[in-house]
Amino acid sequence: MSGLGETKPFRLPGGSGIDHTKRIDFTFDGVNYTGLAGDTLASALLANGVRIVARSFKYHRPRGVLTAGSEEPNALVELRTGARREPNTRATTTELHDGLCASSQNRWPSLKFDILAVNNLLAPVFVAGFYYKTFMWPAAFWERLYEPLIRRAAGLGRGADLADPDSYEKANVFCDVLVIGGGAAGLMAALVAGRAGARVILADEDFLFGGRLLADHKSIGGESAAQWAAQAVAELDQLPNVTLLARTTVFGVYDGGTYAAIERVSDHLASPPVHLPRQRLWRIAAKQSIVAAGGTERPIVFGNNDRPGVMLAGAVRTYINRYRVAPGKRAVVFANNDDGAATIIDLTRADIDVAALVDARRTTPAEIRAIAATCGVRIVNGVVRDAEGRHAVGRAQIVPYDGTPFTEQCDLIAMSAGWNPNIQLTTHLNGRPVWDEARVAFLAGNRPPGMHVAGTAAGDFSLSACLASGARTGAAAAIATGFDVTAPEVPRASEEATQITPFWQVEDARHKAFVDFQNDVARSDIVLAEREGFRAVEHLKRYTTLGMATDQGKTANVSGLAILATLTGKSIPETGITTARPPYTPVALGAFAGHHRGKAFKPTRLPPSYAWAKEQGAEFVEAGLWLRPSYFPRDGEIDWLQSVSREVEAVRNAVGICDVSSLGKIDVQGPDAAELLDRLYTSSMKALKTGRVRYGCMLREDGMVMDDGTVARIGEHHYVVTTTTANAAKVYQHMQLAVQWLWPELDVNVVSATEQWAQYAIAGPRSRALLQRIVDPSHDISDAAFPHMQAGALTVCGGVKARLYRLSFSGEHAYEIGVPARYGDAFVRRLMQAGEDLGVVAYGTEALGVMRIEKGHVSGPELNGTTTMRDLGLDGMMSTKKDYIGRVLADRPGLTDPLRPKLIGFRPSERTKRLRAGAHFLPRGAAATAANDQGYMTSVAYSPSLGHWIGLGLLIDGPSRVGEVVRAHDPVRGDDTLVEVCALPFIDPQGERLRG
Amino acid sequence: MADITLAAHSAFPVGMKLRSKSVAIEVCDDLAIVGLTAYRGTADALAGAIAERFSIALPSPGKRVGTDRISFMWTGCHQWLAIAARAEGGLDLEAELAAATAGLCSIVDHADARAVLTIAGSDARAVLAKGLPIDLDERVFKPGDAAVTHANHIGLTIAQLDATPTYEISIPRSLASSFADWLRHAATEFLD
């Protein structure tokens, strides 16, 4: 590279894309550099003469900057440090900001000297299918040796491995016309649709709108393209019906006109301000959309085409025109199309020597030859066979079609094999691209409803064609959404030549010639894959990993399949192309989570007594979305068991209060309310008298128990039913299905009332005494007026509406009382205060569970979706006098099989032993095999009333085996206990406490 | 009747109320809310009864209508919410509606089931866009419009009260705290 004029600065004067007065300090690999406002990290590095910015994935080859956009496969860096470190960030889209800190990845110990670059010498070994061929056997080696080995060597950057300190959010937006891409076509489309009055969203992944208008030296209506773009943006910004979303990539298309976009709100700042998220995920609902996403230039596959200094010609122009950076001092331009002329013009204007325009075409059009002559550039019809240079380009080996090969000193090779329209979004809903022979490109085929394609994305490669198709699609989209558009005025643009002849590869390159730069897939890999029979594009992709990197092969796929087509002798349409899928560019997972991380993953439902329980130091348990107190530890208690046992004893001997608001409460009203409930519950609800409550079970259609609860008839045509906490939504849904779909003729309304009532269980021998201090004196709650299973409306605490139910889950004399939820907090405080001298305690779900097990009541572990009423000993509640959901299938032979495990109680033979839920029952002395399995323990508790552990379980023929001893085998926790089968309930079999 | 000796507790956490130049959030704890669902074939008669008693035509789907005293919001097929200022010890909305509609509809008190707030201001739409998947643009959703939708995995009703715009949102009471977390998060960038 000697003699190439190192003294000239890389930064060029002038230009509107950057601000020469605003210097920005940043570091790369620990070295301090200075860039300018408007730079990307890539342009700033180039301006500082930094050429090697990365090491490649497989061979650890030195890599530079290939592109100037989001398609960049080479210049991937780790951005920021610590918890904000982000791997595989494209330097070409990273907006420079003060203090930016980036480092190269996939190298050790340094970028210049990377030990694993030895892989490059082993390149003949690391061919396509290397993993499939090498790590085949023995199988045992896979987990122990191969996978760890591959994992260590693979991948590019390192994840932060720390919690993301930033926030992300999601947002919804609606529009008539979504314009994707803010280049010439997109701006024109947005102007036409916006002026017509349509609600327009214009999104561009760049931080500046303009696309190639900023990157190419062109003119529109007598002014520079960049000036026109700035004016267009200014006009759009003034239109109230137009929303401009810069730094926003529309990355996916979904059904019904839904689009996903990621807005990088704060990525261009060192850290997001406290009030802003790092990124925002937009869900855009658009009636019409215009894909004006531009194009991606294709590299030419020649030897060492991945050397730093080999750059796409369009990117060279971008760095010169937009960022005012000279990407080299002496260039060779290698192209198969007329864009080569634009490149030599810009290089010449930037005072960069152009050694030659190597035109891969046999003949060069006259107008291009004229331009070259004006610039004083020699045209060679031929190829650049190889780039040479150890770390970066120093020479080009040029082989003319007619003449002698020669070497040209250069530090920059600008290449172009033509442009791929960016049609990825058109294929997300199964659109298939169509090959266009004249344009040498795939164009959008069938498109999702309401989607238009404009500009380069539609194969319009000249600026005037881009403006025209932008205006045309903008008008069409506006008209389709009900706006009037008169023939839009399209500004005149400079004319340019856009001829192209297909040319993909230099077949006799001496060095490795790359197709997919990010995944290190070379031409030789495609040759090998074809030879080994992987001749379909989808096979080629999987076998070589072509197009499987984070860039989805934006710069690689078409060249790859064109080379395959050459090898197989098929045409490109016959060969086909792989499918692009969302996201268009990588999206951080944090953005998909948005607000919903940590405890906000799902919302939490707080019971009315939550604040009070928290003050009491309660421990909470998640019950579905609800957070319920599980127990209320007191000072001096050493573990949960001690607290729970105290709560149980207090309920059994005095009185306790438990918030049961989370249980589902469903209001059923109407002339056919009784009929509906009769069809839903297995027992008769018609016969229930007003003011009375009954326990009931619902079956699923398949005959299994769905849920249990109470049914209170509070009026002739008015019932309130309860469900378990877990099944509240499911039961409500089931009832709505019955009312809306199964029996729409029934005149009955079903409304959820769960949230209305703060409901407390008040249980224990002193429960009535406590209630009498709370209930307004005009209401009689004596045994005579309010016996067990009675329900009624009354008032408490000076006129607060309340509903009282005399129910018991604990087996004690007990009530449930509901007050309007706003009073729930004050009410529990009042109850606790009023009952202080009665020895009142608050109890949680743990004590609730202990007492229901003592009483043999079933709950979630027994109502687990695999049990029948017979299994649970509830068959007495299965009416034979009426029909109900699940009745027919409950009589299936499989569900009436006498050998089905049935509910029964258990206690340890050795009373000091602990029981474990989930333990399986085995006959004594039988081997622990599935064949000997006789059921399992569903629920266990330590019973303070009995002084030992007790359990409920499902055991074959359980009820007739009372007194028998079986094994409770728990291989999960390594427990094996002998247990005695016992009758239920464990306490108060006559129910004397209940009625007392 | 004696005076009520229990204090009512707001569904929302302290600090839910926010006010900036472009967003104002107010908590509406003192509303009476009653759900009405017509019985089979009684919707017209119910509309007649409501019109006679309150001089209001029950709203069609997606609408909310009201007077200074009482509003009705459509919430589903033949379903409405009646919303009025809560009068402690005054008229009982549930009883009043029961009397006015005598057997034409089922009546369920939702005053404590729903937690209600209003959000107003020039950036109210931008805040709500972070959760509600419906189009609140002034061209589409106008004063008097109502919807049943969701935000932050929480089902809600929303109605636009005026052109400020001011929106009234009601959610299940037990979820108020989670909703408040999300809403505060969404509104942060618009606080002064």
Side-chain angles (χ1 to χ4, degrees):
Chain A
M1 225 189 353
S2 57
L4 290 180
E6 289 92 338
T7 50
K8 260 196 268 178
F10 290 95
R11 184 71 75 178
L12 305 167
S16 58
I18 45 145
D19 186 343
H20 289 274
T21 65
K22 283 197 190 143
R23 297 163 67 85
I24 293 178
D25 294 324
F26 70 101
T27 68
F28 179 67
D29 277 348
V31 181
N32 296 320
Y33 297 100
T34 303
L36 298 176
D39 263 331
T40 60
L41 175 58
S43 68
L45 286 170
L46 289 169
N48 281 279
V50 178
R51 308 186 77 198
I52 312 175
V53 296
R55 285 277 175 173
S56 76
F57 176 56
K58 196 156 75 171
Y59 303 122
H60 291 247
R61 291 167 67 98
R63 291 284 165 84
V65 174
L66 179 71
T67 75
S70 64
E71 70 272 33
E72 177 63 34
N74 280 348
L76 307 181
V77 299
E78 282 178 358
L79 194 61
R80 309 182 209 99
T81 55
R84 290 197 168 92
R85 189 173 71 204
E86 195 179 342
N88 302 341
T89 309
R90 288 148 297 173
T92 50
T93 59
T94 301
E95 213 172 324
L96 202 65
H97 59 76
D98 245 324
L100 180 146
C101 177
S103 40
S104 57
Q105 49 191 31
N106 211 31
R107 52 40 177 184
W108 189 84
S110 75
L111 202 49
K112 263 263 164 81
F113 180 77
D114 172 24
I115 282 180
L116 274 179
V118 70
N119 284 1
N120 196 26
L121 302 176
L122 299 174
V125 177
F126 290 140
V127 292
F130 169 73
Y131 293 102
Y132 303 122
K133 290 166 181 164
T134 312
F135 300 113
M136 280 178 62
W137 50 266
F141 274 30
W142 182 252
E143 226 172 90
R144 292 210 312 269
L145 182 65
Y146 297 153
E147 197 182 318
L149 199 76
I150 293 170
R151 284 197 184 282
R152 203 168 310 131
L156 287 167
R158 303 162 298 156
D161 291 339
L162 293 167
D164 191 330
D166 299 326
S167 69
Y168 299 80
E169 67 184 24
K170 302 192 216 185
N172 302 284
V173 67
F174 297 76
C175 64
D176 296 311
V177 183
L178 168 65
V179 182
I180 302 161
L187 286 171
M188 198 64 227
L191 280 172
V192 170
R195 286 167 182 163
R199 287 166 69 194
V200 174
I201 294 172
L202 175 62
D204 196 290
E205 59 181 354
D206 204 331
F207 52 93
L208 292 180
F209 287 94
R212 290 215 62 84
L213 296 177
L214 312 177
D216 280 323
H217 188 73
K218 291 181 181 172
S219 66
I220 299 175
E223 58 196 347
S224 83
Q227 279 171 332
W228 182 85
Q231 283 162 20
V233 172
E235 182 183 341
L236 291 168
D237 202 28
Q238 291 303 307
L239 290 173
N241 50 316
V242 175
T243 305
L244 295 174
L245 290 176
R247 301 184 177 99
T248 303
T249 306
V250 177
F251 65 78
V253 183
Y254 304 90
D255 287 328
T258 307
Y259 299 78
I262 186 73
E263 182 185 5
R264 288 168 289 275
V265 181
S266 307
D267 273 0
H268 60 295
L269 307 170
S271 60
V274 283
H275 62 285
L276 280 182
R278 171 169 292 287
Q279 297 180 351
R280 187 179 287 137
L281 184 70
W282 287 97
R283 174 183 159 279
I284 303 174
K287 291 177 189 154
Q288 298 271 304
S289 70
I290 297 168
V291 175
T296 301
E297 199 168 26
R298 299 182 291 241
I300 297 176
V301 180
F302 63 89
N304 274 347
N305 62 342
D306 64 326
R307 274 285 179 270
V310 180
M311 195 181 277
L312 289 169
V316 168
R317 301 199 300 275
T318 306
Y319 288 113
I320 291 171
N321 294 318
R322 174 171 171 178
Y323 299 108
R324 302 302 291 150
V325 173
K329 306 291 184 195
R330 184 174 161 85
V332 166
V333 180
F334 181 23
N336 69 340
N337 59 73
D338 291 351
D339 259 8
T343 308
I344 60 170
I345 293 172
D346 289 347
L347 285 166
T348 307
R349 284 163 40 85
D351 205 15
I352 298 168
D353 292 340
V354 183
L357 167 58
V358 181
D359 193 334
R361 298 176 289 190
R362 292 276 163 185
T363 54
T364 304
E367 53 183 308
I368 306 302
R369 276 187 277 133
I371 291 169
T374 312
C375 296
V377 171
R378 171 165 64 138
I379 294 182
V380 178
N381 292 102
V383 300
V384 174
R385 192 198 65 208
D386 289 282
E388 287 183 346
R390 182 144 178 263
H391 290 300
V393 172
R395 294 173 302 283
Q397 298 294 348
I398 299 170
V399 182
Y401 293 132
D402 304 305
T404 318
F406 62 98
T407 302
E408 196 67 67
Q409 296 276 315
C410 62
D411 61 351
L412 175 66
I413 298 177
M415 62 178 169
S416 175
W419 292 76
N420 290 330
N422 287 334
I423 54 169
Q424 290 87 342
L425 295 176
T426 71
T427 69
H428 282 182
L429 289 176
N430 228 14
R432 298 303 302 169
V434 177
W435 180 252
D436 186 298
E437 207 67 57
R439 291 178 169 90
V440 193
F442 279 101
L443 300 182
N446 51 321
R447 287 169 276 121
M451 180 185 279
H452 310 260
V453 189
T456 304
D460 299 323
F461 292 132
S462 76
L463 178 52
S464 55
C466 284
L467 291 168
S469 70
R472 193 175 62 245
T473 52
I479 290 167
T481 50
F483 296 88
D484 288 332
V485 182
T486 44
E489 195 186 317
V490 182
R492 279 182 62 84
S494 47
E495 289 303 324
E496 74 234 79
T498 59
Q499 290 185 64
I500 178 169
T501 300
F503 181 83
W504 310 104
Q505 55 175 332
V506 178
E507 296 187 18
D508 56 351
R510 299 282 193 273
H511 297 283
K512 238 178 184 353
F514 283 87
V515 182
D516 185 325
F517 292 73
Q518 198 185 135
N519 263 357
D520 264 353
V521 179
R523 178 181 175 277
S524 53
D525 293 312
I526 298 175
V527 172
L528 182 71
E530 194 276 334
R531 205 162 62 219
E532 295 188 342
F534 296 94
R535 293 180 184 124
V537 275
E538 299 290 352
H539 289 158
L540 176 76
K541 173 176 175 175
R542 272 74 187 179
Y543 196 57
T544 62
T545 72
L546 174 84
M548 289 173 71
T550 60
D551 60 354
Q552 283 193 60
K554 288 190 180 64
T555 55
N557 289 343
V558 174
S559 310
L561 72 91
I563 292 169
L564 179 68
T566 314
L567 293 166
T568 56
K570 288 183 176 170
S571 69
I572 286 176
E574 282 169 337
T575 305
I577 188 167
T578 53
T579 310
R581 295 193 174 84
Y584 175 71
T585 48
V587 180
L589 286 174
F592 289 107
H595 175 71
H596 306 291
R597 56 191 272 189
K599 285 284 175 197
F601 177 63
K602 279 181 175 178
T604 303
R605 300 179 76 175
L606 300 180
S609 67
Y610 178 78
W612 172 81
K614 204 147 174 66
E615 284 170 27
Q616 305 307 306
E619 292 291 331
F620 292 88
V621 62
E622 288 176 9
L625 297 181
W626 289 96
L627 211 49
R628 302 186 67 187
S630 53
Y631 59 98
F632 294 81
R634 283 189 184 168
D635 288 346
E637 290 174 344
I638 54 164
D639 62 8
W640 63 273
L641 185 58
Q642 206 180 353
S643 306
V644 171
S645 295
R646 170 184 49 75
E647 290 170 17
V648 170
E649 279 165 11
V651 174
R652 296 257 180 255
N653 297 307
V655 57
I657 297 168
C658 181
D659 191 333
V660 293
S661 308
S662 63
L663 275 77
K665 293 175 278 294
I666 300 170
D667 187 280
V668 184
Q669 293 185 46
D672 291 326
E675 178 62 32
L676 174 72
L677 296 179
D678 250 19
R679 295 182 191 188
L680 291 170
Y681 286 92
T682 63
S683 44
S684 172
M685 296 301 169
K686 269 183 196 155
L688 190 65
K689 290 191 171 60
T690 299
R692 298 293 292 166
V693 189
R694 181 169 287 179
Y695 173 72
C697 271
M698 282 183 192
L699 303 188
R700 297 192 312 225
E701 197 71 76
D702 68 0
M704 297 291 181
V705 178
M706 180 171 164
D707 198 42
D708 71 345
T710 60
V711 177
R713 188 169 201 167
I714 61 173
E716 171 65 15
H717 298 309
H718 193 176
Y719 292 79
V720 174
V721 309
T722 66
T723 73
T724 59
T725 300
N727 286 329
K730 198 160 75 183
V731 170
Y732 183 65
Q733 193 178 24
H734 180 67
M735 292 176 80
Q736 289 292 352
L737 177 82
V739 171
Q740 295 184 32
W741 180 250
L742 301 180
W743 306 302
E745 69 279 8
L746 291 186
D747 197 0
V748 55
N749 292 331
V750 173
V751 177
S752 171
T754 307
E755 295 277 351
Q756 173 68 16
W757 300 95
Q759 193 134 319
Y760 296 98
I762 300 176
R766 294 178 191 160
S767 55
R768 182 169 45 219
L770 172 55
L771 265 181
Q772 277 166 336
R773 300 176 183 183
I774 294 295
V775 169
D776 288 337
S778 53
H779 304 285
D780 181 5
I781 57 166
S782 68
D783 246 353
F786 224 95
H788 185 56
M789 299 307 252
Q790 185 73 17
L794 39 69
T795 60
V796 298
C797 303
V800 174
K801 281 185 190 176
R803 283 179 180 168
L804 185 66
Y805 309 85
R806 184 151 167 207
L807 298 170
S808 178
F809 199 43
S810 58
E812 298 300 322
H813 181 125
Y815 302 85
E816 283 187 19
I817 185 164
V819 296
R822 77 185 64 207
Y823 297 117
D825 179 81
F827 190 55
V828 71
R829 293 173 197 273
R830 181 67 56 82
L831 285 169
M832 292 301 290
Q833 190 187 8
E836 204 173 347
D837 61 318
L838 299 174
V840 69
V841 298
Y843 67 100
T845 54
E846 286 294 334
L848 189 81
V850 170
M851 290 187 279
R852 70 100 187 165
I853 294 169
E854 287 180 333
K855 284 296 290 179
H857 291 316
V858 293
S859 188
E862 290 77 33
L863 306 175
N864 59 14
T866 70
T867 49
T868 68
M869 292 188 71
R870 291 184 190 88
D871 296 345
L872 302 176
L874 299 171
D875 29 333
M877 288 168 58
M878 299 170 78
S879 171
T880 53
K881 298 184 187 128
K882 65 175 183 99
D883 198 10
Y884 51 86
I885 290 180
R887 175 181 164 160
V888 174
L889 290 183
D891 283 340
R892 283 183 283 164
L895 299 198
T896 53
D897 185 344
L899 286 180
R900 284 181 67 86
K902 289 191 171 58
L903 186 78
I904 196 66
F906 297 88
R907 61 182 175 189
S909 296
E910 204 177 315
R911 296 285 189 271
T912 53
K913 291 267 190 184
R914 181 179 180 164
L915 298 184
R916 302 278 187 184
H920 278 247
F921 300 125
L922 300 164
R924 282 183 84 168
T929 62
N932 291 330
D933 192 0
Q934 295 199 324
Y936 63 99
M937 194 86 83
T938 51
S939 304
V940 299
Y942 176 80
S943 166
S945 318
L946 300 174
H948 59 77
W949 284 81
I950 55 172
L952 301 180
L954 297 161
L955 176 69
I956 290 175
D957 205 19
S960 55
R961 292 168 69 176
V962 170
E964 191 183 327
V965 171
V966 296
R967 262 173 86 187
H969 181 63
D970 179 16
V972 175
R973 281 156 292 201
D975 228 26
D976 206 336
T977 315
L978 289 176
V979 295
E980 184 188 325
V981 183
C982 12
L984 294 174
F986 288 97
I987 64 160
D988 190 26
Q990 305 307 319
E992 285 148 2
R993 291 159 167 265
L994 206 61
R995 290 174 182 83
Chain B
M1 189 174 286
D3 284 342
I4 287 175
T5 60
L6 294 178
H9 197 72
S10 176
F12 290 101
V14 178
M16 184 68 263
K17 201 171 149 172
L18 298 175
R19 183 169 287 277
S20 77
K21 280 196 271 302
S22 62
V23 178
I25 296 172
E26 297 281 351
V27 171
C28 314
D29 280 328
D30 293 319
L31 293 176
I33 306 171
V34 173
L36 297 87
T37 311
Y39 287 126
R40 299 291 171 274
T42 61
D44 290 343
L46 175 62
I50 296 295
E52 190 178 327
R53 176 71 185 77
F54 299 103
S55 305
I56 284 178
L58 276 180
S60 51
K63 297 288 174 190
R64 175 196 160 115
V65 294
T67 61
D68 288 347
R69 234 208 95 207
I70 188 166
S71 298
F72 289 86
M73 174 161 57
W74 181 92
T75 55
C77 182
H78 295 164
Q79 272 190 1
W80 295 268
L81 281 184
I83 304 160
R86 183 179 154 83
E88 199 71 69
L91 202 53
D92 180 335
L93 184 64
E94 188 185 359
E96 186 182 2
L97 283 163
T101 62
L104 295 170
C105 62
S106 60
I107 286 181
V108 178
D109 190 357
H110 289 311
D112 295 71
R114 310 298 299 177
V116 183
L117 53 75
T118 59
I119 172 166
S122 53
D123 281 322
R125 286 189 187 94
V127 173
L128 296 178
K130 296 182 187 185
L132 279 70
I134 63 168
D135 193 356
L136 293 176
D137 187 87
E138 58 187 343
R139 294 187 186 187
V140 177
F141 201 85
K142 300 183 168 75
D145 283 345
V148 179
T149 179
H150 63 91
N152 192 36
H153 302 199
I154 295 169
L156 57 82
T157 68
I158 179 167
Q160 187 171 343
L161 303 184
D162 61 37
T164 305
T166 303
Y167 299 97
E168 177 192 79
I169 291 173
S170 85
I171 55 160
R173 184 184 181 96
S174 69
L175 289 155
S177 188
S178 280
F179 187 80
D181 281 349
W182 165 78
L183 186 59
R184 272 196 297 238
H185 187 267
T188 307
E189 71 171 293
F190 305 106
L191 300 184
D192 304 325

